[in-house]
Amino acid sequence: MNPLQLTEQGDMAGMVLVPGMMCDAGLWQEMVDDLAAYGPLIYGDLSRDDSLETMAASVLAGAPERFTLVGFSLGGYVAREMIRQAPERVQRLILIATSSQQDSPQSQAFKAAAARSLRASQGAFRGLGHKAIALSLSQEHAENVHLQSQIHQMSLRMGKEAYCRQLLMARNSDTHLLHQIACPTFVIAAGQDRMRSVQESRTLCEMIPRASLEIIDNSGHMLPLEQPAALVKVIQHWLSVTPV
């Protein structure tokens, strides 16, 4: 099954999968067959927009009337904005390796400088660099050539302009709004995540009224690629005990 295509599953409510920064539908490729039972699977595209609000509106425009919503990393911010825009359409929410925290001033300045440098460069876009990719993986998997290639290829498909837009995009805290989420919510953290802390996931779980938390070990930030079988297993169990 091609993970870059819509999965056809008749009239089922559907599952919307929203990727992270410089990720596309390839993020979910190891999980597609197992998640197809909850389909149709709709893949959010974050390559064209420059704000959480426009990203959320774009994904909603291609989503079914009612659906289970899955957001990874940056996609978790987008998913929560989707709920603010259309709360009646989201039946269940799954947040993976994400946060409600605002980028620090230092992080914002670093990203802005990186975007300026990238836009000023004349050569072909080479995708994410080795250091950035390694940081997104656990120390155990940081030098895994197959995982590195998967992440690098996604960044090449996303392209230079999408990278610049995502670097410059404001990612404000919505911790104070988490209490408004009314649908059942499952927060999943990676035990060895070097980009998002387990405490950030705990905060999401504590602030969202109907939330539960699962921590998956032996994985860094890129949970859907590092531990797809373990991730699918906990999602399937949660869905089985969480009716719409």
Side-chain angles (χ1 to χ4, degrees):
M1 185 179 298
N2 184 348
L4 303 181
Q5 295 178 346
L6 180 70
T7 302
E8 300 292 347
Q9 291 288 335
D11 296 326
M12 299 178 70
M15 177 178 283
V16 176
L17 301 161
V18 188
M21 185 171 181
M22 293 304 282
C23 296
D24 60 13
L27 177 72
W28 315 103
Q29 61 187 297
E30 306 295 338
M31 303 170 60
V32 167
D33 289 343
D34 292 303
L35 294 180
Y38 308 99
L41 302 181
I42 295 91
Y43 300 98
D45 179 3
L46 306 187
S47 67
R48 297 168 294 181
D49 300 296
D50 59 5
S51 72
L52 294 176
E53 293 79 10
T54 55
M55 286 178 175
S58 294
V59 178
L60 281 168
E65 188 59 30
R66 297 272 286 165
F67 53 89
T68 293
L69 178 57
V70 183
F72 167 78
S73 193
L74 171 61
Y77 288 81
V78 176
R80 297 191 302 272
E81 176 59 29
M82 290 170 65
I83 289 179
R84 288 190 282 273
Q85 292 185 16
E88 72 286 353
R89 294 178 61 185
V90 180
Q91 297 173 314
R92 296 172 293 196
L93 173 64
I94 300 172
L95 298 172
I96 304 169
T98 188
S99 173
S100 62
Q101 302 302 305
Q102 180 173 342
D103 284 342
S104 68
Q106 295 84 354
S107 177
Q108 292 176 21
F110 176 82
K111 289 180 179 180
R116 288 194 298 270
S117 175
L118 184 59
R119 282 184 166 158
S121 65
Q122 299 298 315
F125 180 59
R126 297 181 180 179
L128 293 177
H130 178 271
K131 184 177 180 179
I133 292 174
L135 183 62
S136 73
L137 299 167
S138 65
Q139 289 184 331
E140 180 182 355
H141 299 138
E143 299 304 322
N144 183 302
V145 175
H146 177 62
L147 291 172
Q148 288 181 353
S149 177
Q150 288 178 298
I151 298 167
H152 186 247
Q153 290 301 314
M154 283 195 293
S155 72
L156 288 175
R157 291 193 295 266
M158 291 289 286
K160 175 179 176 178
E161 288 306 313
Y163 192 23
C164 290
R165 283 192 290 269
Q166 292 185 356
L167 285 170
L168 293 171
M169 186 179 68
R171 197 182 307 191
N172 297 320
S173 172
D174 65 340
T175 304
H176 62 295
L177 300 175
L178 294 177
H179 70 279
Q180 299 174 354
I181 298 176
C183 64
T185 301
F186 190 27
V187 181
I188 307 171
Q192 289 69 48
D193 195 332
R194 295 187 285 170
M195 300 181 71
R196 288 297 180 189
S197 70
V198 171
Q199 183 54 49
E200 288 174 287
S201 291
R202 292 191 191 280
T203 297
L204 288 167
C205 184
E206 291 165 1
M207 298 298 291
I208 298 173
R210 301 173 63 187
S212 57
L213 173 67
E214 184 80 27
I215 301 170
I216 297 178
D217 283 323
N218 301 314
S219 180
H221 190 64
M222 298 300 290
L223 249 174
L225 294 178
E226 287 189 72
Q227 292 290 349
L231 182 56
V232 162
K233 183 177 179 180
V234 298
I235 288 175
Q236 288 176 325
H237 174 73
W238 184 77
L239 291 174
S240 72
V241 299
T242 309
V244 295

